[in-house]
Amino acid sequence: MTGTPLRRYPHYGLLGVGFGPSHLSLAAVCDSTREPSVRARLHCLEARPAFSWHPDMLLDGTRMQIAFLKDLVSPQAPTSPFSFTNYLVSKGRLEQFLNLGTLHPTRREYADYFGWAADRLAHHVSYGCLVERVRPVIANDGGVTHLEVDYRDLTGDKHTVTADHVSLAPGGRPVVPAGVERDALDSGVVFHSSTFLPSIDRFHRRGRDLPHRFLVVGAGQSAAEVFRYLSREFPYADVTLAHRGFALIPANSSPLANEIFDPASVDLFHAADATRRHAILAELRTTNYAAVDDEDIHAIAELLYDQRVRGEERLHLCRFTELAACRADGPTAFVTLRAPASGQALTSRFDAVVLATGYDFREAGDLLTGVEPLLLRAPDGNLRIRRDYSVETTAECRPSIFLHGAAEHSHGLSSTLLSVLAHRAARILDSVFGPREPDDGRRSPLSDALEGADA
């Protein structure tokens, strides 16, 4: 804890750590609904040298699982220039997109939309800035007046900025199963699905017609997409998908279940006690975790059936199976797969192992270490997070610390997803800068909708 004079460093009203979709939405909503004096007080630091969104998982044909209207800004400002609709107009593709008759763009197009918006909101971000820690600044009366944020630029030089409030959205950390040894990851023979395309490229260069042996670990959407990709791109490869359950489970995308991602459901979830929250997460787990779109499940089933017609045995699903151990052995991976129920284990070699094992969003990594004494926790050890996504703190802490992604235990399944980006951004902006002034002479879209319904 320090008492560094504020005037030494650049200062912001709200400083965001990371510039992925969460803070991109924060910037879009801010510029769409706030006056210039407020916009100038929002800034973000991003470790990457330029904007990107899952560039190594943009497989051909994969689609978004949310409707395009749940974009960066439309739910809060439907006429915003940063909407997906305006993106389509600017690209000259609106009519063609509408003719497709879908609410779900491809991931490649949505990534391009995010990049298009990031270019137009570049004044809110400094790239190549790796944040290392957040520190409180204490006044003579013992109160924490603001926060200092230390970061390094691309040359390794250290810098500090200060802020009245901080918003943390560094993204999730790829989950690596405990049995995977470091040498397997370092050798590149084992890699997370988040780096899939560049990691698999060397097998394309070797020759797609070679009899490669691939193992995919996981039971979610990414695992299914990777399995389909490998089956298609490497027609002579042996491809195995190992997962812990009996079968790949269909994602629950029914309209009523998907209401869990609506702001009103976030209100309901946040107001519930810890026991009820846990029950809701368990009940609706298949809306997000370890679940696969019906289309992909049917496609995999057809692949498996077709190979039986052909008399082949190169594609395999290993149910009730987990990755017990994995190490590098020359240019291959030496893998032990185990059936937990029976204890039976099988050891085999693979040319590559793809870990489609998800991400860990808990507590924004190590960024909270410097302010830990100020944070309040529930009896179960989880941070206590207010409805506006700020962490509850001790009385002497005046700044707010907002969390994106790391609030599933308090805000539900939408915490790590794109569904409530604009609503969350508006909540945070209201908390920091005060509620926005109503537009002069303009009616609320909700009021118009209700009147139309009454008519």
Side-chain angles (χ1 to χ4, degrees):
M1 297 186 181
T2 65
T4 306
L6 186 62
R7 64 180 179 274
R8 286 187 54 189
Y9 305 120
H11 183 76
Y12 301 99
L14 177 60
L15 182 72
V17 177
F19 199 63
S22 290
H23 284 151
L24 186 57
S25 176
L26 191 69
V29 174
C30 184
D31 277 21
S32 300
T33 63
R34 301 290 174 147
E35 59 273 16
S37 60
V38 171
R39 300 176 205 167
R41 298 175 63 195
L42 170 65
H43 199 70
C44 298
L45 302 177
E46 168 57 48
R48 295 168 297 185
F51 182 85
S52 63
W53 181 69
H54 297 304
D56 300 331
M57 269 299 292
L58 298 179
L59 307 185
D60 289 342
T62 55
R63 291 192 173 274
M64 298 298 297
Q65 294 173 294
I66 62 167
F68 72 87
L69 288 172
K70 291 186 176 183
D71 60 20
L72 296 169
V73 65
S74 289
Q76 285 291 317
T79 60
S80 167
F82 306 110
S83 70
F84 181 78
T85 302
N86 194 48
Y87 157 80
L88 289 174
V89 172
S90 73
K91 296 289 186 178
R93 295 200 304 266
L94 177 61
E95 287 78 11
Q96 290 86 347
F97 180 84
L98 293 175
N99 288 339
L100 295 176
T102 180
L103 294 173
H104 305 283
T106 65
R107 281 197 212 142
R108 188 180 304 279
E109 184 173 34
Y110 222 62
D112 189 62
Y113 159 59
F114 283 158
W116 171 87
D119 288 343
R120 285 153 180 76
L121 295 163
H123 51 283
H124 283 298
V125 60
S126 295
Y127 291 104
C129 301
L130 177 62
V131 173
E132 295 185 325
R133 63 174 178 165
V134 179
R135 295 180 284 118
V137 178
I138 302 177
N140 293 333
D141 63 1
V144 177
T145 59
H146 60 283
L147 300 167
E148 291 182 345
V149 178
D150 298 329
Y151 70 92
R152 293 188 184 275
D153 61 24
L154 291 174
T155 68
D157 291 339
K158 184 176 178 180
H159 306 271
T160 298
V161 296
T162 62
D164 295 326
H165 310 280
V166 168
S167 178
L168 304 180
R173 293 181 176 180
V175 172
V176 177
V180 178
E181 296 186 12
R182 185 76 245 178
D183 67 336
L185 295 170
D186 292 340
S187 69
V189 69
V190 178
F191 49 90
H192 193 266
S193 59
S194 59
T195 64
F196 177 72
L197 287 176
S199 299
I200 207 66
D201 184 59
R202 62 190 176 99
F203 292 97
H204 281 288
R205 295 196 305 269
R206 287 181 189 174
R208 64 187 300 268
D209 293 334
L210 295 178
H212 305 293
R213 298 196 71 222
F214 298 124
L215 171 65
V216 184
V217 179
Q221 186 65 28
S222 293
E225 291 172 357
V226 167
F227 181 81
R228 289 187 64 187
Y229 176 95
L230 294 173
S231 303
R232 178 181 69 248
E233 295 294 318
F234 298 93
Y236 299 98
D238 184 286
V239 186
T240 298
L241 174 59
H243 58 92
R244 293 175 176 172
F246 174 80
L248 298 179
I249 302 298
N252 186 352
S253 57
S254 60
L256 297 182
N258 272 349
E259 288 183 0
I260 191 64
F261 304 122
D262 295 344
S265 294
V266 178
D267 292 338
L268 177 67
F269 187 92
H270 189 268
D273 59 31
T275 301
R276 184 59 183 144
R277 288 177 183 176
H278 181 78
I280 295 172
L281 289 175
E283 179 184 354
L284 296 176
R285 181 176 176 81
T286 56
T287 59
N288 185 37
Y289 294 115
V292 181
D293 285 346
D294 273 339
E295 176 186 347
D296 291 288
I297 292 177
H298 283 286
I300 290 173
E302 288 183 3
L303 284 172
L304 296 173
Y305 182 79
D306 185 63
Q307 78 166 358
R308 295 187 67 183
V309 173
R310 294 171 178 268
E312 297 176 352
E313 292 186 12
R314 72 180 191 90
L315 306 178
H316 315 276
L317 291 189
C318 292
R319 59 178 56 136
F320 298 134
T321 301
E322 65 181 13
L323 180 64
C326 179
R327 62 178 174 82
D329 188 28
T332 64
F334 200 59
V335 179
T336 299
L337 297 173
R338 181 177 59 207
S342 65
Q344 183 178 4
L346 173 67
T347 299
S348 187
R349 293 182 188 274
F350 293 92
D351 295 303
V353 178
V354 186
L355 303 175
T357 44
Y359 300 85
D360 183 357
F361 290 89
R362 288 176 298 177
E363 299 197 6
D366 301 323
L367 293 175
L368 296 175
T369 302
V371 292
E372 178 64 36
L374 304 173
L375 310 180
L376 300 181
R377 295 183 179 273
D380 60 5
N382 283 320
L383 290 170
R384 288 162 48 181
I385 304 177
R386 303 181 184 93
R387 178 60 183 88
D388 67 356
Y389 296 90
S390 65
V391 183
E392 292 189 35
T393 58
T394 55
E396 68 270 19
C397 184
R398 300 168 195 169
S400 292
I401 301 171
F402 299 95
L403 292 184
H404 305 252
E408 183 174 278
H409 66 283
S410 59
H411 288 67
L413 291 163
S414 64
S415 176
T416 63
L417 305 179
L418 303 178
S419 298
V420 296
L421 287 180
H423 296 296
R424 180 168 61 203
R427 283 264 184 176
I428 293 173
L429 291 171
D430 286 349
S431 293
V432 173
F433 301 114
R436 66 187 182 188
E437 294 293 329
D439 294 332
D440 292 337
R442 290 182 59 185
R443 294 170 54 80
S444 161
L446 179 59
S447 297
D448 290 339
L450 290 175
E451 281 199 8
D454 291 340

